[in-house]
Amino acid sequence: MKNILLYLTVSAAVLAGCSSGNDSLEAKKEKVAEYKKELHEINVKIRELESEIASLEGVSEQRSNAILVNTSPVQPTRFTHAIDVRGNVASRTNVFLSSETGGAIQQVRVSEGNVVKKGDILVTIDNAIIRNNIAEVKTALELAEAVFERQSNLWEKKIGTEIQYLEAKNRKESLERQLTTLETQLSKTIIRAPFAGSVDAVEAKVGQMAQPGMPLVQIVNQNDMYIEADVSERFIGDFKKGDHVEVFFPIVNRKIETSIIAVSEIINLENRTFKIEMRMPKVDFVVKPNQVVVIQLIDYTRDSTIVVPTELILSDADGKFLYVVEDQDNQQVAAKARISVGMTSEGKTEILDGLEIGDLVVLQGYRDLTEGTIVEQTEKSTETAKL
């Protein structure tokens, strides 16, 4: 259409020129030749412009069909893998005191919640029989000591026989031992606090018959608590004394940091685990013995490795891959980077092979991609934390 209009314009000009009587025939021919030349040059420019327009329209259409993605360059970072193990709070001063001798419970001096000091009397057991035996032995011992003293004086003067001296000595020493035994038995009828703490439970009742090993009073001291857990034997050698750990208290939704203080050298035959103990630091929330905790133990660490969000890793018939952006023919296209993976922790996976430092990994829009898809980056992230 543009060519036709231009041709009509030029033709009109030529005719107008021909109608003029002042111009000669040769002059008119020269004019026609000049206009034809100009028309040719204009046609050439029109074709060039039309070609450029077609090219630009193609690029624009390609861009309009490009998938928008967000990428981040691969950078090495620190990676740690941890396991969660269920444990509990324990106390070295959480004991159930029991009787070491039999007898009727005569007095219970404490109740639940009482605070006691070391040595305080908690429970007394009837000891009348023992006291009577002690009194009898003391009387007999007084006589035996008197007899032994006199027999010793006679023996020094060579009066009497040696056997009389030895019998008197043996009698006295035997009664002394009996008295010591009875006094020890008497002390066992008084249950005392072995350490300072609070009374958590009282099972003893006045008039009840106490038997050796029978639990009477439970005392707890929360100043000597620790954390313990059983770990599967497959982690033997992964943890050692001094290792850093995190402990989560689900009931109060609090987390603390502490360290391992002991690792057992024995495997439990029943559940194939070994025990580890962790220090219980002072905290600003309530913690009680036997409280359940979740312990995070680090079993694998690499100071410099490639890590990506686990959700970016896809799979097909050829294995695992993720999408990266590459330059091809002055265009950015999506490509599958075939990878081998290591451990996964907290939503991130270590890449052992298949990525190089600086590769542009697609973070957003990867689910819309196929191999060779033209892409356009919305914003290139440089934050290593995203990988």
Side-chain angles (χ1 to χ4, degrees):
M1 179 62 71
K2 293 178 180 179
N3 292 344
I4 295 172
L5 292 175
L6 183 59
Y7 180 78
L8 293 175
T9 302
V10 174
S11 299
V14 172
L15 293 175
C18 292
S19 62
S20 175
N22 298 327
D23 293 333
S24 65
L25 180 61
E26 292 299 326
K28 289 180 173 60
K29 289 181 179 181
E30 291 179 1
K31 282 286 186 182
V32 170
E34 182 179 348
Y35 290 148
K36 286 182 178 181
K37 181 180 179 181
E38 291 178 358
L39 179 59
H40 175 73
E41 292 177 351
I42 292 174
N43 286 332
V44 171
K45 291 180 179 180
I46 289 174
R47 285 193 295 270
E48 291 177 352
L49 288 174
E50 287 178 340
S51 177
E52 292 179 6
I53 290 172
S55 177
L56 292 174
E57 286 177 345
V59 171
S60 177
E61 183 178 359
Q62 288 180 343
R63 289 182 177 177
S64 66
N65 293 330
I67 302 297
L68 297 179
V69 296
N70 180 266
T71 64
S72 178
V74 171
Q75 296 292 337
T77 186
R78 178 182 174 85
F79 177 77
T80 59
H81 181 270
I83 61 170
D84 289 339
V85 178
R86 178 171 173 169
N88 63 276
V89 179
S91 174
R92 304 187 194 281
T93 50
N94 176 19
V95 297
F96 232 126
L97 304 177
S98 60
S99 173
E100 294 184 51
T101 186
I105 296 176
Q106 192 174 52
Q107 190 177 27
V108 179
R109 297 194 177 186
V110 293
S111 58
E112 287 86 348
N114 288 163
V115 177
V116 296
K117 296 179 294 184
K118 182 179 180 179
D120 285 354
I121 297 176
L122 308 177
V123 178
T124 59
I125 298 173
D126 185 16
N127 54 24
I129 296 176
I130 298 177
R131 288 184 182 277
N132 290 335
N133 290 337
I134 289 175
E136 291 177 2
V137 171
K138 282 184 176 180
T139 301
L141 181 59
E142 289 177 1
L143 176 60
E145 287 176 343
V147 172
F148 173 72
E149 184 178 357
R150 291 178 183 180
Q151 195 65 43
S152 179
N153 291 334
L154 290 174
W155 178 247
E156 288 178 358
K157 295 177 182 180
K158 304 300 181 181
I159 300 174
T161 63
E162 183 180 5
I163 192 65
Q164 289 175 323
Y165 167 75
L166 293 176
E167 287 177 346
K169 180 182 179 183
N170 181 67
R171 174 64 177 168
K172 179 184 80 72
E173 292 177 348
S174 176
L175 289 171
E176 287 176 344
R177 289 192 294 271
Q178 288 184 37
L179 180 61
T180 300
T181 301
L182 289 171
E183 288 176 343
T184 300
Q185 291 179 348
L186 179 64
S187 68
K188 301 298 184 183
T189 64
I190 301 175
I191 311 300
R192 298 178 181 273
F195 51 81
S198 61
V199 178
D200 195 67
V202 178
E203 300 292 338
K205 297 178 178 60
V206 175
Q208 185 180 22
M209 288 299 295
Q211 299 295 333
M214 174 181 174
L216 301 176
V217 179
Q218 184 180 19
I219 298 181
V220 178
N221 186 327
Q222 296 187 352
N223 293 327
D224 194 14
M225 294 190 295
Y226 63 99
I227 300 168
E228 64 179 6
D230 294 327
V231 182
S232 171
E233 66 178 344
R234 70 188 184 91
F235 295 105
I236 290 177
D238 290 341
F239 314 116
K240 62 183 183 301
K241 182 179 179 180
D243 283 354
H244 171 82
V245 298
E246 288 187 350
V247 181
F248 177 64
F249 294 78
I251 298 299
V252 293
N253 195 29
R254 299 289 293 274
K255 183 179 290 187
I256 65 170
E257 295 183 356
T258 183
S259 58
I260 297 175
I261 57 177
V263 178
S264 175
E265 299 294 335
I266 300 174
I267 300 297
N268 188 321
L269 290 175
E270 295 181 357
N271 55 17
R272 310 304 305 175
T273 63
F274 62 93
K275 192 175 293 293
I276 61 172
E277 295 182 4
M278 288 135 285
R279 182 175 289 103
M280 178 65 211
K282 291 185 177 181
V283 294
D284 57 356
F285 54 90
V286 177
V287 176
K288 294 182 178 295
N290 299 325
Q291 185 172 342
V292 174
V293 298
V294 178
I295 304 158
Q296 189 177 76
L297 300 165
I298 297 175
D299 64 334
Y300 175 78
T301 301
R302 288 192 67 178
D303 291 329
S304 181
T305 188
I306 295 175
V307 180
V308 301
T310 305
E311 64 179 10
L312 302 183
I313 300 175
L314 305 174
S315 299
D316 60 14
D318 296 326
K320 297 183 182 296
F321 69 93
L322 47 76
Y323 281 109
V324 296
V325 173
E326 296 180 349
D327 289 328
Q328 294 182 10
D329 300 328
N330 297 323
Q331 293 179 334
Q332 290 189 322
V333 299
K336 291 182 178 180
R338 298 291 173 179
I339 58 174
S340 59
V341 301
M343 291 190 173
T344 296
S345 179
E346 296 182 347
K348 294 185 178 182
T349 299
E350 181 185 18
I351 304 301
L352 302 179
D353 188 36
L355 285 181
E356 300 292 339
I357 304 301
D359 286 348
L360 294 178
V361 175
V362 179
L363 300 181
Q364 296 178 352
Y366 61 93
R367 296 192 182 278
D368 299 325
L369 301 179
T370 58
E371 183 83 22
T373 301
I374 298 175
V375 298
E376 182 177 352
Q377 299 184 62
T378 56
E379 180 180 358
K380 187 185 297 183
S381 173
T382 58
E383 297 182 14
T384 306
K386 292 187 177 181
L387 288 180

